[in-house]
Amino acid sequence: MLEDDFLVSLDAGGRIEDTVHPWRFAAWEGLVGGLDSAAFDELLADARLCNTGFLRQTYWIAHASAPRFALESLASEVYAFHAGRLPAAAQIDPEKSGAEWWVQVRQGTAATQPPGPATRGAAGDAAAAGPDRGDDEDALNTSSTMAFHFDKDEVLHEHTGLYVHPQLSTVTYLTTAGAPTVILEATSKEVLEGRDKSTSVDSSFVSFPVQGKHAAFDGRYLHGVISDFPPPMDAEGLQEPSPVRATLLVNVWFNFRPCGVRPFPSTLASKMASLPKVRLKGDCPAAISVPHADFQELSRGDDGRDEDAVRENEAPAMRASVGDVLRTLEFRFSRTGRVHLVRLPVAKLPTGAEATSFMIEHADDRSRPAVIEDALTASPAKGPGRPSQSEGGALDERHPKRQKLP
């Protein structure tokens, strides 16, 4: 339920008003420091516990709260890492700011298989993802693909239809396994409130899982986990066999606390791993960082930071044209209340490089992803050549009962 005095104000871009949105996208390799393989195994064991039964939901740790166990400590560190990168002029209300966190443990081997040469459409991807079976835990934990979706305050959306997004959505990879996170630079406001039935996407970002890596992006962006995306290189570093893809997901909220999200139950906190405090390497340079223009302007203010300090190691964007497209995938989703189709041309990524994160600028219409309001899906009759895929075939990144999708 909403509080009687609930109030939120959004700006013209769909952001929480008077707050800072730092990154379009950024990624840090090896940001989780000081943990050996045994410690990562402890985190994985706790992630498995949090991914079962009634625990499969999101939790809150406030701005100044002391973490009680390793996973909560890592979520708190993620929040502090990004809060510490805000310019001095940014105002943070500690009573309304914090980290909303949850975990995902999924099948990790599917994405390590090399993609076939044939173009795969919706039918093939539905088979790879498995049906949308809600509370079927086996289906959830063996699916290697996750639906495109928007992160948002789920309770608020359920009661009002309003989209309120975190300033940052983040992924911290606990294993080197599974499919990449794919982020399209399209917001809910653009997709749902545009005059046209189609929203084209000029830029996208791809992040492959590597243990200890951390990626962050604008919380308004459409994103998912796509198992049929080809790996960027032939080196074995990204192909290490692992049974699971395990991630800690943290939504970073400044000056707004999402409705109904509470701390992890105290009765279970004592059963979780109490490793030495999990810390992020504060001096770890970004492998890629693409800040918002207004964040750069704020950061060049009175606090003395310059543009280079904010941009860190911004990598040049890869430009994709129609000749780079290996196949085109299609995914339907209707969590917005309307049926949409995500059309995703999959570009060939550079080979022989060590990079695991990419920014792709799409140079022409045939290489550009699009989000289309799909009238055909609402009818039993399928258009010629339109393969069938069950809606939501790529399963909920968060938890099935509330259908909250990271």
Side-chain angles (χ1 to χ4, degrees):
M1 296 296 292
L2 303 182
E3 301 291 336
D4 292 339
D5 60 350
F6 175 83
L7 176 67
V8 63
S9 179
L10 304 180
D11 66 17
R15 301 170 168 182
I16 299 172
E17 199 165 42
D18 298 326
T19 60
V20 176
H21 283 60
W23 309 110
R24 293 164 64 196
F25 175 79
W28 294 262
E29 303 276 358
L31 186 64
V32 180
L35 297 182
D36 56 20
S37 59
F40 272 108
D41 287 344
E42 290 270 10
L43 285 175
L44 180 57
D46 283 356
R48 288 183 184 276
L49 176 62
C50 290
N51 197 54
T52 58
F54 73 94
L55 288 179
R56 194 161 51 232
Q57 55 184 293
T58 69
Y59 299 102
W60 181 256
I61 181 164
H63 173 89
S65 293
R68 299 162 292 171
F69 52 91
L71 273 177
E72 198 172 60
S73 176
L74 184 51
S76 179
E77 281 285 304
V78 167
Y79 171 82
F81 178 81
H82 291 290
R85 277 162 172 71
L86 295 182
Q91 300 295 317
I92 297 179
D93 181 350
E95 296 298 320
K96 296 182 179 179
S97 301
E100 180 190 14
W101 67 272
W102 68 105
V103 298
Q104 275 296 324
V105 181
R106 302 278 181 162
Q107 178 178 331
T109 56
T112 63
Q113 303 301 319
T119 298
R120 294 184 62 188
D125 291 305
D132 187 0
R133 295 170 63 184
D135 290 337
D136 188 326
E137 189 171 329
D138 290 337
L140 276 168
N141 289 332
T142 58
S143 174
S144 56
T145 292
M146 300 171 197
F148 278 102
H149 56 273
F150 296 107
D151 283 358
K152 58 189 179 297
D153 182 327
E154 291 292 330
V155 173
L156 180 62
H157 182 261
E158 181 180 346
H159 283 80
T160 68
L162 188 65
Y163 280 80
V164 176
H165 305 283
Q167 282 82 2
L168 284 171
S169 296
T170 77
V171 185
T172 303
Y173 301 96
L174 304 180
T175 59
T176 302
T181 308
V182 178
I183 302 107
L184 304 182
E185 206 163 29
T187 69
S188 61
K189 188 175 182 67
E190 292 167 339
V191 170
L192 300 175
E193 298 182 15
R195 295 180 180 180
D196 298 327
K197 297 292 186 181
S198 176
T199 302
S200 62
V201 178
D202 294 327
S203 301
S204 61
F205 307 95
V206 181
S207 173
F208 285 84
V210 178
Q211 188 178 67
K213 174 183 173 181
H214 175 75
F217 53 93
D218 190 318
R220 300 172 299 160
Y221 288 169
L222 187 66
H223 58 285
V225 178
I226 308 305
S227 63
D228 202 36
F229 217 99
M233 60 184 182
D234 299 327
E236 294 184 358
L238 206 62
Q239 302 294 318
E240 295 177 4
S242 177
V244 294
R245 178 190 192 272
T247 52
L248 172 72
L249 297 313
V250 177
N251 283 348
V252 176
W253 295 90
F254 298 125
N255 303 345
F256 180 88
R257 178 171 175 172
C259 302
V261 180
R262 292 178 169 80
F264 190 83
S266 57
T267 53
L268 295 175
S270 61
K271 301 182 183 300
M272 306 290 277
S274 56
L275 300 173
K277 183 174 174 61
V278 181
R279 293 192 179 276
L280 303 185
K281 297 177 182 177
D283 58 350
C284 179
I288 176 174
S289 70
V290 189
H292 280 295
D294 55 354
F295 179 50
Q296 291 175 236
E297 293 300 322
L298 279 171
S299 298
R300 287 198 293 263
D302 296 335
D303 58 349
R305 298 179 70 192
D306 60 17
E307 181 175 349
D308 290 339
V310 177
R311 298 181 78 89
E312 299 185 65
N313 294 341
E314 181 172 355
M318 169 192 158
R319 291 185 62 81
S321 62
V322 65
D324 302 316
V325 174
L326 299 175
R327 62 186 58 77
T328 297
L329 308 177
E330 293 185 350
F331 303 88
R332 295 188 183 94
F333 71 101
S334 62
R335 309 300 187 200
T336 59
R338 281 182 263 168
V339 180
H340 286 83
L341 179 77
V342 177
R343 184 166 293 140
L344 178 66
V346 177
K348 182 180 180 181
L349 299 175
T351 58
E354 294 184 357
T356 62
S357 302
F358 301 87
M359 175 182 179
I360 305 173
E361 291 182 344
H362 303 279
D364 51 55
D365 288 342
R366 291 183 63 188
S367 69
R368 189 172 289 130
V371 185
I372 304 160
E373 190 168 337
D374 187 16
L376 288 177
T377 323
S379 169
K382 302 291 180 185
R386 173 71 60 85
S388 174
Q389 178 180 355
S390 60
E391 187 280 316
L395 293 171
D396 185 345
E397 169 81 28
R398 285 192 140 178
H399 47 85
K401 298 184 190 311
R402 288 170 54 192
Q403 290 300 331
K404 180 69 168 74
L405 295 164

